[in-house]
Amino acid sequence: MTARGRYRKSAVSKRQVVEAAVRALATNGYAHTSVSDIAAEAGLSKGAVHYHFESKEDLVSHVADHCAAAVRERVRQAWQAPGTPLERLRSALREMRSARREGAPELRVIADLMVQAINEPKLRPPISAMFVANRAEVVSNLRETFDALGLETRLPMSVVPRLLLATLDGLALHDFFDPGDAALDDAIEQAIEEIAATLFVPKPVS
Amino acid sequence: MTARGRYRKSAVSKRQVVEAAVRALATNGYAHTSVSDIAAEAGLSKGAVHYHFESKEDLVSHVADHCAAAVRERVRQAWQAPGTPLERLRSALREMRSARREGAPELRVIADLMVQAINEPKLRPPISAMFVANRAEVVSNLRETFDALGLETRLPMSVVPRLLLATLDGLALHDFFDPGDAALDDAIEQAIEEIAATLFVPKPVS
Amino acid sequence: MTARGRYRKSAVSKRQVVEAAVRALATNGYAHTSVSDIAAEAGLSKGAVHYHFESKEDLVSHVADHCAAAVRERVRQAWQAPGTPLERLRSALREMRSARREGAPELRVIADLMVQAINEPKLRPPISAMFVANRAEVVSNLRETFDALGLETRLPMSVVPRLLLATLDGLALHDFFDPGDAALDDAIEQAIEEIAATLFVPKPVS
Amino acid sequence: MTARGRYRKSAVSKRQVVEAAVRALATNGYAHTSVSDIAAEAGLSKGAVHYHFESKEDLVSHVADHCAAAVRERVRQAWQAPGTPLERLRSALREMRSARREGAPELRVIADLMVQAINEPKLRPPISAMFVANRAEVVSNLRETFDALGLETRLPMSVVPRLLLATLDGLALHDFFDPGDAALDDAIEQAIEEIAATLFVPKPVS
DNA sequence: TATGAATGAGCCTTCATTCAT
DNA sequence: AATGAATGAAGGCTCATTCAT
């Protein structure tokens, strides 16, 4: 077993711990998840967890990275459907809604860590980065198809993704505590599309 | 002042504990707030807290009630500014934004407890009720001024408040992790008003 | 309401507390019975219990008195059946066994307090007195009927009641942890009678 | 000494805790013995006690096992003196009496746990088992010597050990709360032997 | 005579962390 | 690289006791 082999094993274990932590945190929430729980979920001993991470805080901040990346990836994929901007918007909306409905572990963890981040600034960077990246993804996608289709917005480009993603996130929040029926979901989808249609207009020939 | 007098002191203390809990939770978050902390903040002993509340859970659920009510009241006031719907919308938007900026303790606590509620269903009712009440407030306000001004929406009335409040909540979320500058705030405000303007149209003469 | 009336009320409440304590202790055992439990059982407040008794220890020692007296009375009655010594013995044996089977609260409490008494000498006197009184009861009864029937024992009179009551108490103990069936009960009853018959013999004419 | 060596320390500590618990419980009784007391007595931290035992209940039930086994062993040895049944009986009687007089810790603890067992059924099995085993010991001893000496009882074999051990246990109880003097002890010893002599008779030639 | 409020010590338990192996 | 053992601080909670009313 070479040095490389060792290194690899360590890296594998470390990742196992992070993934176990995601599962544990998603299941029980930060306030009810102990290092023991995580170790058990990872099939390792408590000592091993502390071998890989200096402290629980340290581990959690790695978890934040991991989850933020996972969510970023989800968003990226959601916005890469083919079609017109409206079709993409619809696809993204559906994808994200279904992710929330299924209770994707990373999303639960992110929600939890966002709250922890209020008081632990160390946790904020990955989450902030996630927000920024998500908006950037929307921007680049929109810009691309806008160019292709000769569209433009009646709003500043800095506003569109923020407003759009904030709306989607806010809807998810409301959905959790007071889920509407399928008809309402559809109505909201239509409303958003309608609004988008009034905002995305053909570019005047210059 | 006989039987009443006896109970009055208890009620006062109980309220003190709840208010102390709000402050403590707002400052350190649920996961880092102990009953001791709350007791100290209330100027009482740990035992006294448990005299008034069967358990920490019990106390926290009262806190959730309290905060949800406080937020509801804030929202109610925000939407009762005088003027046209658009003016009210602007007032509400500003009011809520400033509340978030100041870091109103009740809002922090609500954010925290929303996450706790994911895993502790007992906490959900007050929060759900808060969402429902907030939307109802918007509905009643809009309906009233719509009638007065002969306006109507191009969207179903069930969709408007959900979409509107979700957007505001989502914006607050994004704001926290990636605050925009004042110019962006203004741009977003304008955008929302613009969208509203396209949605709220004069009622056709029947 | 005269001074007497007050005094009477106090005495009544005090007795209520003791009786409530007996029930509570019988149900949950000393280690799991709090002053609160007792107060609740008595329909009074915790404060009232401490008005009547200086401390929990004080109350418990009154309870010990009460229960020891109750058991003494039970034993007294059990040995006052009519008939020959053997018949009384049988009657007493049955009475005591049934008392234990039914789980008479005073007996449970006495068992509990006997253990507490190992380490709290203050509790010992009433229990010791109970043992002494019970044996005295047996002695006086036996002596009376022995005289009437012209019997005598082949054992010193100091030994008989101790041996007899110890045997009955010991049997109760074994019964609790490893109850025998009815047939065994009968066999033991017969055995004791048989032994008694060999010990109680006609007094030689002098 | 690889995997084994690792576990050995734990087993040793675990045993230390149990033994410390026996001492602490014997000294202060269940109701007045905390996990802290036990840990201190064992020279370990409170945390260590909980590392070895899930809960106080768990520990206490192990203690019950331990003490019941110790008592069983004592009884076994007491009945294995050489000689005729009567001589053994006398030896056993003396041995057990002296054990009680010395206040053997295991006996105190058993007395205590017997009372706890009234309300905590989990504690009963070891104690029941102890009673059963003790009687079995007496049975096997008696049977053996009876055969050797051509004796038999006039009582069913199921009755003898129950009656005998119950009597001894009952005597111990009375002794504790109202100790007799040495003369009484002797008288009782003689009485028991006398009774035994009338019950253990030569087997008729068949 | 009795109560409701409050206290503070102590209890059982959990848990992040350390360390020898 | 990983483990089992142990620690010690802290946490939630119970409870006997006190006291103003």
Side-chain angles (χ1 to χ4, degrees):
Chain A
M1 175 165 311
T2 66
R4 195 170 245 162
R6 269 189 209 144
Y7 173 75
R8 210 173 258 151
K9 187 173 181 198
S10 177
V12 167
S13 291
K14 197 165 179 174
R15 167 173 291 241
Q16 275 177 352
V17 171
V18 169
E19 282 164 3
V22 172
R23 287 193 298 276
L25 286 169
T27 307
N28 299 103
Y30 179 91
H32 297 316
T33 301
S34 69
V35 173
S36 268
D37 296 335
I38 293 168
E41 177 76 34
L44 289 173
S45 69
K46 248 190 301 189
V49 172
H50 271 86
Y51 173 79
H52 290 292
F53 301 92
E54 280 194 357
S55 67
K56 194 188 181 186
E57 258 197 11
D58 182 24
L59 165 55
V60 166
S61 107
H62 281 250
V63 168
D65 283 346
H66 180 94
C67 290
V71 171
R72 237 153 44 204
E73 178 55 22
R74 259 205 133 99
V75 170
R76 209 178 56 76
Q77 297 222 349
W79 285 94
Q80 287 190 337
T84 68
L86 271 191
E87 282 162 0
R88 284 176 186 218
L89 172 57
R90 191 179 308 149
S91 145
L93 219 165
R94 288 201 174 145
E95 231 289 322
M96 296 169 80
R97 171 159 290 161
S98 80
R100 266 136 189 161
R101 280 277 154 80
E102 294 157 17
E106 285 86 0
L107 284 178
R108 283 181 164 242
V109 174
I110 282 289
D112 212 327
L113 296 188
M114 272 170 28
V115 166
Q116 301 306 318
I118 296 178
N119 300 301
E120 282 181 54
K122 284 179 195 170
L123 287 177
R124 259 180 247 177
I127 296 174
S128 294
M130 178 192 79
F131 277 112
V132 173
N134 288 351
R135 288 202 302 265
E137 179 65 26
V138 174
V139 168
S140 89
N141 254 273
L142 286 187
R143 208 180 311 260
E144 194 183 314
T145 55
F146 275 27
D147 285 353
L149 300 178
L151 293 176
E152 71 170 9
T153 12
R154 291 167 44 204
L155 300 176
M157 208 46 173
S158 64
V159 163
V160 174
R162 196 177 199 100
L163 197 51
L164 182 51
L165 286 175
T167 300
L168 296 182
D169 288 335
L171 282 170
L173 197 64
H174 281 241
D175 250 26
F176 180 77
F177 285 99
D178 182 35
D181 52 21
L184 182 59
D185 280 2
D186 292 343
I188 287 178
E189 204 176 301
Q190 278 188 22
I192 292 178
E193 290 182 25
E194 222 163 300
I195 293 171
T198 69
L199 295 178
F200 302 169
V201 295
K203 203 176 206 159
V205 182
S206 57
Chain B
M1 152 79 73
T2 57
R4 254 230 174 103
R6 275 188 180 161
Y7 288 108
R8 205 168 267 151
K9 195 174 178 194
S10 179
V12 167
S13 293
K14 197 165 180 175
R15 168 174 297 228
Q16 276 178 354
V17 171
V18 169
E19 284 164 3
V22 172
R23 287 192 298 276
L25 287 170
T27 308
N28 300 318
Y30 179 92
H32 297 314
T33 300
S34 70
V35 173
S36 268
D37 297 336
I38 293 168
E41 178 76 33
L44 288 173
S45 69
K46 239 193 307 187
V49 172
H50 279 283
Y51 174 78
H52 290 292
F53 300 94
E54 284 195 354
S55 65
K56 192 188 183 187
E57 253 198 14
D58 182 25
L59 166 56
V60 167
S61 111
H62 281 252
V63 168
D65 283 345
H66 179 92
C67 290
V71 171
R72 234 153 47 202
E73 179 56 22
R74 258 204 137 99
V75 170
R76 209 176 58 75
Q77 298 221 349
W79 285 94
Q80 287 190 337
T84 68
L86 272 191
E87 281 161 1
R88 284 177 184 216
L89 172 57
R90 190 179 311 147
S91 144
L93 221 165
R94 288 198 174 147
E95 229 290 322
M96 296 169 80
R97 174 160 288 161
S98 80
R100 265 131 189 165
R101 280 278 153 80
E102 295 156 16
E106 284 86 359
L107 285 178
R108 282 179 166 241
V109 173
I110 282 289
D112 208 327
L113 296 188
M114 272 171 28
V115 166
Q116 300 308 318
I118 296 178
N119 298 304
E120 283 180 55
K122 284 177 194 170
L123 288 177
R124 259 179 246 176
I127 297 174
S128 295
M130 180 192 77
F131 277 112
V132 172
N134 287 352
R135 289 201 302 266
E137 179 66 26
V138 174
V139 167
S140 89
N141 256 273
L142 286 188
R143 205 180 311 260
E144 196 183 315
T145 55
F146 276 26
D147 286 351
L149 301 178
L151 295 175
E152 70 170 10
T153 9
R154 290 168 44 204
L155 299 177
M157 207 46 171
S158 66
V159 164
V160 175
R162 196 178 199 101
L163 196 51
L164 182 51
L165 286 175
T167 301
L168 297 182
D169 289 334
L171 283 170
L173 197 65
H174 282 241
D175 251 26
F176 181 78
F177 286 98
D178 182 33
D181 52 22
L184 181 59
D185 279 2
D186 292 343
I188 287 178
E189 203 177 301
Q190 277 187 21
I192 292 178
E193 289 182 28
E194 223 164 299
I195 293 173
T198 69
L199 295 178
F200 302 167
V201 296
K203 204 177 207 159
V205 183
S206 58
Chain C
M1 173 162 318
T2 66
R4 193 170 250 160
R6 271 187 208 146
Y7 173 74
R8 209 171 260 148
K9 189 172 181 199
S10 177
V12 167
S13 290
K14 196 166 181 174
R15 167 172 292 241
Q16 275 178 352
V17 171
V18 169
E19 283 165 3
V22 172
R23 288 192 297 277
L25 287 169
T27 307
N28 299 104
Y30 179 92
H32 297 317
T33 301
S34 70
V35 172
S36 268
D37 296 335
I38 294 168
E41 177 76 35
L44 290 173
S45 69
K46 247 192 298 191
V49 172
H50 271 85
Y51 173 79
H52 290 294
F53 301 94
E54 279 193 358
S55 66
K56 194 189 183 185
E57 257 196 11
D58 182 24
L59 165 56
V60 167
S61 108
H62 280 251
V63 168
D65 283 346
H66 180 93
C67 290
V71 170
R72 235 152 49 202
E73 178 57 21
R74 258 205 136 100
V75 170
R76 209 176 59 75
Q77 298 221 349
W79 285 94
Q80 287 189 338
T84 68
L86 272 191
E87 282 161 0
R88 285 176 185 216
L89 172 56
R90 190 179 311 147
S91 143
L93 220 165
R94 288 199 175 145
E95 230 290 323
M96 296 169 80
R97 173 160 289 159
S98 80
R100 266 132 190 163
R101 281 278 154 80
E102 296 157 16
E106 284 86 0
L107 285 178
R108 282 180 165 242
V109 173
I110 282 289
D112 211 326
L113 296 188
M114 273 170 28
V115 166
Q116 301 306 319
I118 295 177
N119 300 302
E120 281 180 54
K122 284 178 195 170
L123 287 178
R124 259 180 248 176
I127 296 173
S128 296
M130 179 194 79
F131 277 112
V132 172
N134 288 352
R135 288 201 302 267
E137 179 66 26
V138 174
V139 168
S140 90
N141 254 272
L142 286 187
R143 205 178 315 259
E144 195 183 316
T145 55
F146 275 26
D147 286 351
L149 301 177
L151 294 175
E152 70 170 9
T153 11
R154 291 165 47 201
L155 300 176
M157 207 47 172
S158 65
V159 164
V160 175
R162 197 179 199 99
L163 196 51
L164 183 52
L165 286 175
T167 302
L168 297 182
D169 288 336
L171 283 170
L173 198 64
H174 282 242
D175 251 28
F176 181 78
F177 285 99
D178 182 35
D181 52 21
L184 181 60
D185 280 2
D186 292 344
I188 287 178
E189 203 176 302
Q190 277 187 22
I192 292 178
E193 290 181 26
E194 222 164 299
I195 293 172
T198 70
L199 295 178
F200 301 166
V201 296
K203 203 176 206 163
V205 183
S206 57
Chain D
M1 152 78 75
T2 57
R4 257 237 172 96
R6 276 189 181 165
Y7 289 108
R8 205 168 268 152
K9 194 175 178 193
S10 178
V12 167
S13 292
K14 197 166 180 174
R15 169 174 297 230
Q16 275 177 353
V17 171
V18 169
E19 283 165 3
V22 171
R23 287 192 299 276
L25 287 169
T27 307
N28 299 319
Y30 180 92
H32 298 312
T33 301
S34 70
V35 172
S36 266
D37 296 335
I38 294 169
E41 178 76 36
L44 289 173
S45 68
K46 240 190 307 187
V49 172
H50 279 282
Y51 175 77
H52 290 293
F53 300 94
E54 284 195 353
S55 65
K56 192 189 182 185
E57 253 197 14
D58 182 25
L59 165 55
V60 167
S61 110
H62 280 251
V63 168
D65 283 346
H66 179 91
C67 289
V71 170
R72 236 153 46 202
E73 178 56 21
R74 259 204 134 100
V75 169
R76 210 176 57 75
Q77 297 222 348
W79 285 93
Q80 286 189 338
T84 68
L86 272 191
E87 283 161 359
R88 284 175 185 218
L89 173 55
R90 190 178 311 147
S91 144
L93 221 164
R94 286 197 177 145
E95 231 288 323
M96 296 169 81
R97 172 159 292 159
S98 80
R100 266 134 190 163
R101 280 277 153 79
E102 296 157 16
E106 284 86 0
L107 284 178
R108 283 180 166 242
V109 173
I110 283 288
D112 210 328
L113 296 188
M114 272 170 29
V115 166
Q116 300 308 318
I118 295 178
N119 298 303
E120 283 180 53
K122 284 177 194 169
L123 288 177
R124 260 179 244 176
I127 296 175
S128 295
M130 180 194 77
F131 277 112
V132 173
N134 287 353
R135 289 202 301 267
E137 179 65 28
V138 174
V139 168
S140 91
N141 256 273
L142 286 188
R143 207 182 310 262
E144 195 184 314
T145 56
F146 276 25
D147 286 353
L149 301 178
L151 293 175
E152 68 169 11
T153 10
R154 291 166 43 204
L155 300 176
M157 207 47 171
S158 65
V159 164
V160 175
R162 197 178 199 102
L163 196 51
L164 184 51
L165 286 175
T167 301
L168 297 182
D169 288 335
L171 283 170
L173 197 64
H174 282 241
D175 252 26
F176 180 79
F177 285 98
D178 182 34
D181 52 21
L184 182 59
D185 279 4
D186 292 343
I188 287 179
E189 203 176 301
Q190 276 188 22
I192 292 178
E193 288 181 28
E194 221 163 300
I195 293 171
T198 70
L199 295 178
F200 301 168
V201 296
K203 205 177 206 162
V205 183
S206 57

